[in-house]
Amino acid sequence: MKNNSDFIMRQVEQFADGLKWALNKGKASDTEIVFDQQQTQINNNLLDEINLFLTKDKFREAVSTFYKLKFELKFSTYLNVGEKLLNSLKKAPKCSPQLVTELEQSLQRSKKEMK
């Protein structure tokens, strides 16, 4: 976000730095303010990571990465990604049935929680 040529972005960045300083009461910290654009990029990277794990038959890692998205995506998007992942796992002959069942149950619990 270091775009110093844009006046508005400089203002937003300075505001974010000030907010960060205020939240930490003037102390240095590892706190990071994440903008929507950055968050979208992080989410896209996680989705790409899931697909990469699937192509390498690393199914447990794909599911773990999916779980990281639970509070990052809109609920409907999260469920859509979960359903696609579940379908991919069901079609993968090397995937353990236990992992498929775990993901399926997790998605069902998530649906019940949001009702």
Side-chain angles (χ1 to χ4, degrees):
M1 288 310 262
K2 298 285 184 188
N3 189 358
N4 293 328
S5 63
D6 184 13
F7 174 76
I8 293 175
M9 287 308 298
R10 282 195 315 264
Q11 296 299 313
V12 169
E13 187 177 337
Q14 289 174 355
F15 170 77
D17 288 341
L19 181 61
K20 180 178 170 182
W21 183 85
L23 291 173
N24 291 311
K25 298 180 178 123
K27 300 175 197 163
S29 164
D30 291 336
T31 303
E32 180 180 356
I33 297 174
V34 179
F35 295 97
D36 285 340
Q37 185 177 12
Q38 288 174 316
Q39 191 62 49
T40 300
Q41 185 61 39
I42 291 168
N43 293 345
N44 289 338
N45 290 344
L46 288 172
L47 292 171
D48 290 342
E49 194 174 321
I50 289 170
N51 289 326
L52 181 63
F53 284 136
L54 289 174
T55 60
K56 293 184 176 187
D57 293 341
K58 295 185 176 186
F59 305 113
R60 177 130 338 249
E61 290 86 347
V63 172
S64 295
T65 304
F66 166 69
Y67 289 145
K68 292 177 188 177
L69 292 169
K70 184 168 186 173
F71 300 106
E72 305 300 327
L73 299 175
K74 287 190 277 183
F75 181 68
S76 60
T77 305
Y78 175 76
L79 285 180
N80 288 337
V81 171
E83 292 296 330
K84 288 178 184 176
L85 176 58
L86 182 62
N87 289 332
S88 295
L89 294 180
K90 286 180 178 180
K91 293 176 186 175
K94 294 181 182 178
C95 184
S96 78
Q98 180 184 0
L99 184 61
V100 172
T101 302
E102 288 174 13
L103 179 59
E104 201 166 34
Q105 290 173 348
S106 174
L107 289 171
Q108 289 172 356
R109 278 192 306 271
S110 294
K111 288 176 187 177
K112 287 180 184 177
E113 289 172 5
M114 295 310 288
K115 286 184 179 181

